Structure formats: C-alpha cells, structure tokens
Amino acid sequence: MIFMTFGQKVKNRRKELGMTQVELAVKTELSQPYISMLEKGTFAPTAPTIISLAAVLAMSADELLGINDVKKAG
C-alpha cells in the first residue's frame, strides 16, 4: 500500500475539486504561499488548519491525516 503525505492529500483533493491554491487559500483564510508550503511538505499544519482544510475539501480530518489508511494497513 502506498501512503500519501498530508500535502499530497491536500493537493490531490484540491485538484479533484477543481480548485486552485488561491481559491483554497481564500476559502480557508490562509495564504496561497502557505497552501503551497503545506502541499510541498515544508510546514506541518496546526490543528485549526487541518480542521479548516478538511471542511473546505469536504473530507474528514482523519482522512486528510491518513488515519484511515493506517487502520486499513494494520
């Protein structure tokens, strides 16, 4: 099983929804450069950021963090 990083999950889901980094930034009240750094894995997100991203990306925080992936692999 291949695990995706947090940033990869954000980027993939954002693209699935047809959103740009700028659109995601506006909807989450984060900056576009910060979204870019999250997607590249440069920064680790805070809990409020994870919650905001999960809500806008229409997925659970568990899915975004890969917790479900770990349970399935175990």
Side-chain angles (χ1 to χ4, degrees), residues 7 10-11 14 21-22 24-25 30-43:
V10 170
K11 184 176 184 176
R14 173 179 61 77
Q21 287 183 346
V22 171
L24 181 57
L30 300 169
S31 70
Q32 180 277 323
Y34 185 69
I35 297 292
S36 177
M37 288 184 262
L38 286 174
E39 289 185 357
K40 291 178 184 174
T42 306
F43 284 110

Side-chain angles (χ1 to χ4, degrees), residues 53-64:
L53 286 167
V56 171
L57 296 172
M59 58 193 312
S60 71
D62 285 357
E63 289 172 306
L64 196 52

Side-chain angles (χ1 to χ4, degrees), residues 1 13 16 21 44 46 48 56 58 64 68:
M1 174 177 271
R13 183 64 178 154
E16 283 176 9
Q21 287 183 346
T46 63
V56 171
L64 196 52
N68 293 337

Side-chain angles (χ1 to χ4, degrees), residues 14-31:
R14 173 179 61 77
K15 288 187 171 193
E16 283 176 9
L17 296 173
M19 272 193 268
T20 65
Q21 287 183 346
V22 171
E23 291 169 327
L24 181 57
V26 168
K27 290 180 180 186
T28 56
E29 299 181 355
L30 300 169
S31 70

